[in-house]
């Protein structure tokens, strides 16, 4: 009899109760499913392809322009003092050689002014201004691409969502399945394109604004260098 009691106790300890099993199954069923990023991108539909292309173009243009503008804004701190010293001492050829051998839009603008030394101040300022405009155009080259992407990427996203909703409601009309899970499942997947388009457009707009601010800094340096150069030319007449 004692042996039988031990067996019953062992069975009760090893075998889970029915309530415990049911609770475990319910907990497993209630566990939220993870949404994988790649799966959502794939389910976004064909319009995710042009959105991906736009994102790659935006990144390339931003990096290329950023490196170009950064190089344009670099200038040796002793460049203008050396130009001043050469001009005030009458060594125009040395000033010209210094400006020609220095890279950057500021040096090229000053070089144009040195070439016009001896002409009226207004003519020198006009020549330097023309060179400055050309250098600004070079820095702003391809920035319009970022502006275009910032505008059309959200439109592509909304178009993908609209196309997905049309497909969802078409399927409902064919199958007469109007359950909430069917509608929500079709819509949330297609809204991926809207989210992607908005993110790409926002990043492109931020990149465009940032690069424009960097160009403004270079322009301020160019204007300061131009004013300093004109002051150097007017010093002997004081």
């Amino acid at each position: 009899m004692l042996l039988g009691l031990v067996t019953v106790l062992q069975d009760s300890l090893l075998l889970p109760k029915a309530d415990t099993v049911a609770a475990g199954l319910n907990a497993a069923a209630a566990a939220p499913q993870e949404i994988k990023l790649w799966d959502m991108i794939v389910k976004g539909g064909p319009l995710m392809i042009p959105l991906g292309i736009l994102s790659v173009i935006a990144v390339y243009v931003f990096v290329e322009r950023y490196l170009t503008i950064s190089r344009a804004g670099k200038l040796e701190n002793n460049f203008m003092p050396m130009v001043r010293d050469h001009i005030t001492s009458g060594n125009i050829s040395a000033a010209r050689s210094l400006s020609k051998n220095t890279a950057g839009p500021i040096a090229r603008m000053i070089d144009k002014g040195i070439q016009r030394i001896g002409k009226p101040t207004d003519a020198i300022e006009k020549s330097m201004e023309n060179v400055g405009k050309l250098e600004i155009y070079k820095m702003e080259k391809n920035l319009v691409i970022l502006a275009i992407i910032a505008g059309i990427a959200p439109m592509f996203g909304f178009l993908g969502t609209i196309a997905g909703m049309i497909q969802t409601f078409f399927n409902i009309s064919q199958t007469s399945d109007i359950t909430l899970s069917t509608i929500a499942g079709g819509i949330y997947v297609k809204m991926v394109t809207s989210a992607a388009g908005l993110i790409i457009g926002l990043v492109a707009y931020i990149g465009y604004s940032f690069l424009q601010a960097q160009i403004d800094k270079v322009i301020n340096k160019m204007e300061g260098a131009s004013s300093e150069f004109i002051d150097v030319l007017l010093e002997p007449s004081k």
Side-chain angles (χ1 to χ4, degrees), residues 99-202:
S99 61
K100 287 187 65 176
N101 294 325
T102 302
I106 298 175
R108 286 190 286 269
M109 184 182 64
I110 297 299
D111 180 59
K112 177 60 68 173
I114 295 173
Q115 294 179 47
R116 296 294 186 267
I117 289 179
K119 295 186 177 181
T121 305
D122 293 341
I124 297 175
E125 289 180 338
K126 186 65 175 179
S127 298
M128 295 175 65
E129 182 181 349
N130 291 335
V131 174
K133 289 180 179 179
L134 180 60
E135 295 297 333
I136 293 172
Y137 171 77
K138 291 178 181 179
M139 287 187 291
E140 292 179 342
K141 182 181 178 182
N142 295 333
L143 275 187
V144 68
I145 296 177
L146 286 178
I148 293 174
I149 292 176
I152 67 174
M155 296 182 183
F156 271 106
F158 292 141
L159 179 61
T161 299
I162 295 299
M165 293 180 68
I166 292 174
Q167 183 64 43
T168 299
F169 285 112
F170 175 78
N171 294 336
I172 291 174
S173 67
Q174 297 296 315
T175 60
S176 299
D177 184 4
I178 57 174
T179 59
L180 183 61
S181 61
T182 302
I183 298 175
I187 293 178
Y188 98 86
V189 170
K190 298 307 177 182
M191 289 185 70
V192 172
T193 56
S194 290
L198 288 173
I199 292 173
I200 295 171
L202 180 62

Side-chain angles (χ1 to χ4, degrees), residues 16 41 66 155 173 223:
I41 293 175
Y66 176 74
M155 296 182 183
S173 67
E223 291 176 350

